[in-house]
Amino acid sequence: MANNTPHLEELFDQAVAERREHQWLSALALYERALRIDPTNDTAYRERTITLSLQGSAGLAWHYYQRRPDLFNADEASGFEQDYIARLAVWGTLPNLTSQSSKDDMQRALMAQDTFLAQQEGEVPLRQRFDNIYILNGMQRHEEVVAIFRQLEAEDIELPPYVMRIIGDSLLSTKKPQEAAALMEQVAESGAAVANDHIIRAYAYLESGRWREAIELLEVEAEQQRAWLWEDNAQQPHSNWNRYFLDATLAMVRGYTGDQPGAQEALEAMAKIDPRNAGLQANLGSVYLQRGWDEQALTRFQVATHLDPRLVDGWIGQVDALANQQRLGDAREAMAQAVLLAPDSSRVEKMQQNWQTRTGWQVSASAYAGRSEAPNDADSPAGFDEQHHQFSAWSPVLDDRWRLGILGSEHFSEFRGERVHDTRGGVGLRYAYDRLSLETRLERSVDDFARNTSVMAELSWRVNETVDARARYATHSRDGSLQARSSGITADQALVGLSWSPNERHSYQASITQLDYSDGNHRESLSLNGWQRVIDNPDHALGLNAGLYAGQASDLDVPYYNPEASASWELGALWEVRNWRHYEHSFIQDVGASVGQSWQQEFGTRWIPSLSYHHRWAVGNGRDLKYGLSWSRPVYDGNRETQLSFDIGITWGE
């Protein structure tokens, strides 16, 4: 062995020189040669382990350290431990064919860290606290990350940029976008921000209501990135993934802030360049969902999960698209895949909450109170003091297709000093699967004017993703004249309708209705309505609507308002001021105005104005409250009335 000593010293000297130049592989090769010459050489073993750690092989370095811990001092041992824990955490963030292996790596990292901390005496090393943040964030335990952040803040510890970006992500995941934005701004000011930091910051701006700043930030950062990069002596360029992620995020933010056409155009152009990009396909599916194109969206999500079965967003998108198409059984299967892949993900948790809202109880209650003032003591068709109260409660979905309901309503008004009631209670049954929807109701009136049983059946058919058709028939319909009811006269109703919604900005409806009154009178009417949204962003929205109506009656000598022929047109606008939003909670003010003309045979044409003002509160996922005032000046039989009303409604469930 003595003859080998000079040769070993030469190898060690060469290895030190290689390490000085950061030539880790060359240094490792020299230490391996030394160990082949003398397998028991402590210096070669020790320096090889240290070199492995320096060149990033934390797992192998830790393995060798575990076999000979006596060769290393306390600081070196701590370094090996911490590097190994950090490497496990990094492995836990990498994609795998199944979620379990990633989750196991993170769990092993957390267990190794707990063991390491238990062996520590005194203050926990700062690096270890930072590694703990990284691990907990990777395990989606964001509340714990925020708790550690609060402790670090209280201790006035300065955070490096790589830690701030992790905490920013957890703050955003725990619905603290203002704090996340402030932290990500610090990362940007440090000069260490990368593309993903700008993306987190943009989403923090978006959720804080600073949506214009989010778009501007992404536009600026994307412009600074070249789409294609050239390496020295390369025959062709390669993709700049930073530019891709910024462009894709910018398109999605545009979609979230009301510019769905712009988002669609950008993503479709990108998908033509890279049609096998699973993330792009899922993003495009999300925009199609926003535009109301559920079938096209489902196709994109299915392509995305075919290209990458691990893509959680692709499975979540399928759940939404299938549920919108009333295919709840298929949606459950897609949901199970998302839960399997990322059970702790905040996106999966949100998906499950939305599912519970969609398939759980559906409860609604509303009340309306209106007063009509007509000249010369004329009897208004709506009565003097009209009130209408309704309640319905539908069960959670049964067998993915059925719901049972309990119904109640009260409608009354005053005609020439006499109060007329239509008070009902009943039960309902709903069926929905794929293109078909059916609803039946059985109700019983309990008032003195007309005790009867009402049966209603409505069938709806989704012709395609933009066209829907429906037909309804009801005996003793709620839509019959309350004024006629005071004479014991009720009406059966038949209705057919068609609606076309080509996208999220346009909608058109047409319906033909016939009311067959029990006194032999028949009344037919045609309604055409259109709606278009011309402004739509997180702060404001403006929608325009137009309507046409024409109606005629067979009999004239009846004790209720029944024009022989009438027609009207209306143009209106609804201005929404979206004052406040925080995830599922929001407050919106609606101001509506319309003007039109009403024509009635023998009474000519008159202008009809109307105004409305409403508040809308979203108080939780699927829980909404709306109330407001309406004013109008309609004309009946040549008499202009003033109508003022108040309405309020509460909904629970989708």
Side-chain angles (χ1 to χ4, degrees):
M1 186 64 64
N3 294 334
N4 292 328
T5 301
H7 186 46
L8 288 175
E9 291 177 355
E10 291 178 9
L11 293 176
F12 292 156
D13 290 341
Q14 293 177 29
V16 170
E18 294 293 332
R19 281 202 331 202
R20 192 178 299 118
E21 298 297 324
H22 294 177
Q23 299 298 318
W24 313 117
L25 294 179
S26 299
L28 285 171
L30 292 168
Y31 289 128
E32 291 291 349
R33 286 176 58 188
L35 285 170
R36 284 197 296 271
I37 294 172
D38 182 6
T40 62
N41 190 284
D42 291 346
T43 300
Y45 189 96
R46 168 187 161 80
E47 297 304 322
R48 179 187 63 177
T49 303
I50 292 174
T51 304
L52 284 168
S53 178
L54 291 172
Q55 71 100 31
S57 297
L60 195 55
W62 182 83
H63 172 73
Y64 284 134
Y65 155 71
Q66 289 288 100
R67 292 172 60 181
R68 294 292 306 276
D70 56 295
L71 297 180
F72 306 93
N73 61 40
D75 289 339
E76 290 167 340
S78 177
F80 293 140
E81 292 275 7
Q82 293 181 64
D83 287 346
Y84 174 63
I85 292 170
R87 184 58 56 190
L88 282 175
V90 170
W91 288 338
T93 64
L94 298 177
N96 290 278
L97 290 177
T98 66
S99 63
Q100 194 59 41
S101 53
S102 295
K103 188 175 180 180
D104 286 349
D105 285 333
M106 277 295 184
Q107 191 64 45
R108 288 169 57 203
L110 188 61
M111 292 176 62
Q113 179 168 254
D114 290 343
T115 301
F116 174 75
L117 292 176
Q119 297 171 350
Q120 296 295 306
E121 297 181 359
E123 186 176 351
V124 177
L126 196 56
R127 175 192 167 178
Q128 204 63 30
R129 297 173 73 179
F130 293 162
D131 285 349
N132 197 31
I133 289 174
Y134 184 91
I135 295 169
L136 292 172
N137 173 270
M139 296 183 71
Q140 308 290 317
R141 292 162 62 173
H142 298 293
E143 294 286 356
E144 295 177 60
V145 172
V146 174
I148 296 175
F149 171 54
R150 302 290 185 225
Q151 294 175 359
L152 294 171
E153 274 189 316
E155 297 172 26
D156 200 25
I157 292 177
E158 184 177 351
L159 302 175
Y162 85 91
V163 175
M164 285 193 287
R165 67 169 56 102
I166 298 169
I167 296 172
D169 177 68
S170 288
L171 286 168
L172 191 57
S173 297
T174 53
K175 300 182 179 180
K176 299 175 178 63
Q178 291 88 353
E179 291 185 76
L183 210 57
M184 299 314 296
E185 286 170 351
Q186 293 182 44
V187 175
E189 291 168 2
S190 73
V194 296
N196 193 57
D197 298 333
H198 300 310
I199 290 171
I200 295 174
R201 182 178 162 198
Y203 276 119
Y205 283 166
L206 178 65
E207 297 297 347
S208 301
R210 300 161 62 182
W211 60 277
R212 291 185 177 88
E213 293 177 68
I215 292 175
E216 181 181 356
L217 169 65
L218 293 169
E219 287 177 337
V220 170
E221 294 301 330
E223 189 65 27
Q224 294 177 0
Q225 296 281 344
R226 297 170 58 187
W228 301 95
L229 300 176
W230 288 87
E231 298 293 343
D232 294 340
N233 303 318
Q235 297 296 316
Q236 59 185 11
H238 63 86
S239 303
N240 183 353
W241 287 103
N242 287 335
R243 175 61 181 269
Y244 159 75
F245 288 120
L246 288 166
D247 281 346
T249 304
L250 176 59
M252 295 303 294
V253 170
R254 290 191 187 280
Y256 297 144
T257 55
D259 184 14
Q260 288 84 6
Q264 177 190 345
E265 181 181 2
L267 291 172
E268 286 180 341
M270 295 171 69
K272 288 180 180 179
I273 298 173
D274 188 5
R276 296 189 61 80
N277 186 313
L280 260 181
Q281 295 290 343
N283 286 345
L284 195 51
S286 296
V287 173
Y288 286 167
L289 270 185
Q290 295 171 19
R291 308 216 69 185
W293 304 338
D294 299 323
E295 295 175 14
Q296 294 184 66
L298 178 59
T299 298
R300 293 289 181 169
F301 289 129
Q302 289 173 334
V303 169
T305 54
H306 174 75
L307 294 171
D308 183 1
R310 303 162 300 179
L311 186 66
V312 177
D313 287 343
W315 293 109
I316 293 175
Q318 286 189 46
V319 173
D320 290 333
L322 288 164
N324 288 350
Q325 297 177 58
Q326 303 182 146
R327 297 166 55 185
L328 296 185
D330 295 333
R332 285 183 187 276
E333 294 180 6
M335 185 167 60
Q337 289 294 325
V339 173
L340 179 65
L341 287 168
D344 301 321
S345 168
S346 58
R347 292 169 297 168
V348 171
E349 181 181 354
K350 176 64 175 175
M351 173 196 69
Q352 292 173 312
Q353 291 174 354
N354 291 340
W355 180 264
Q356 289 298 322
T357 300
R358 184 189 295 267
T359 62
W361 282 95
Q362 294 181 346
V363 180
S364 66
S366 63
Y368 167 92
R371 176 159 292 192
S372 300
E373 295 182 359
N376 305 320
D377 295 325
D379 203 1
S380 169
F384 172 69
D385 185 10
E386 182 182 19
Q387 295 191 38
H388 199 174
H389 312 109
Q390 294 190 80
F391 171 81
S392 67
W394 294 90
S395 73
V397 176
L398 307 172
D399 195 28
D400 291 331
R401 302 188 184 189
W402 302 89
R403 288 184 188 270
L404 300 175
I406 299 175
L407 315 166
S409 70
E410 181 183 34
H411 187 192
F412 63 84
S413 190
E414 187 175 309
F415 297 93
R416 297 189 181 278
E418 184 177 23
R419 177 160 289 187
V420 179
H421 286 262
D422 183 5
T423 305
R424 305 178 178 218
V427 295
L429 177 66
R430 286 178 175 172
Y431 172 88
Y433 176 69
D434 200 8
R435 298 181 182 273
L436 176 66
S437 298
L438 290 171
E439 180 176 333
T440 60
R441 297 186 179 194
L442 180 66
E443 297 179 316
R444 177 68 179 172
S445 294
V446 296
D447 57 86
D448 295 330
F449 288 95
R451 294 178 178 271
N452 48 52
T453 300
S454 171
V455 178
M456 189 279 291
E458 181 169 289
L459 181 148
S460 300
W461 180 259
R462 190 179 74 250
V463 181
N464 55 47
E465 61 187 356
T466 62
V467 178
D468 292 276
R470 67 188 179 111
R472 179 200 304 156
Y473 185 79
T475 64
H476 309 298
S477 171
R478 290 184 182 184
D479 295 331
S481 167
L482 190 64
Q483 189 180 31
R485 196 171 183 83
S486 63
S487 300
I489 300 170
T490 62
D492 296 342
Q493 181 193 56
L495 178 149
V496 292
L498 194 68
S499 64
W500 176 46
S501 301
N503 53 53
E504 81 291 347
R505 298 190 172 198
H506 302 84
S507 182
Y508 309 95
Q509 299 85 35
S511 63
I512 298 174
T513 305
Q514 178 171 300
L515 289 171
D516 294 327
Y517 284 91
S518 57
D519 62 355
N521 179 36
H522 304 288
R523 180 160 194 85
E524 296 86 21
S525 62
L526 169 67
S527 295
L528 301 174
N529 294 282
W531 171 89
Q532 177 177 342
R533 177 157 285 176
V534 293
I535 297 175
D536 188 9
N537 62 55
D539 295 333
H540 304 96
L542 175 63
L544 304 178
N545 62 277
L548 295 173
Y549 169 86
Q552 64 179 13
S554 62
D555 297 335
L556 301 180
D557 187 17
V558 294
Y560 49 90
Y561 177 69
N562 183 51
E564 180 180 4
S566 60
S568 64
W569 64 266
E570 180 184 33
L571 294 176
L574 182 68
W575 178 249
E576 296 181 13
V577 181
R578 297 166 173 173
N579 300 83
W580 170 77
R581 183 186 71 85
H582 185 72
Y583 296 92
E584 294 88 5
H585 300 77
S586 65
F587 171 60
I588 298 173
Q589 297 182 78
D590 290 346
V591 180
S594 70
V595 65
Q597 287 183 311
S598 174
W599 169 83
Q600 184 179 339
Q601 187 168 324
E602 298 183 3
F603 294 98
T605 302
R606 303 288 292 273
W607 287 94
I608 307 296
S610 67
L611 296 171
S612 67
Y613 175 67
H614 285 82
H615 286 175
R616 286 190 288 154
W617 294 88
V619 296
N621 195 1
R623 303 170 211 171
D624 300 291
L625 168 66
K626 180 180 180 180
Y627 55 86
L629 297 170
S630 299
W631 170 90
S632 65
R633 295 271 286 161
V635 177
Y636 303 110
D637 291 339
N639 296 312
R640 182 176 293 279
E641 299 184 2
T642 299
Q643 292 185 351
L644 183 65
S645 63
F646 171 80
D647 62 275
I648 184 170
I650 300 172
T651 60
W652 183 293
E654 186 175 86

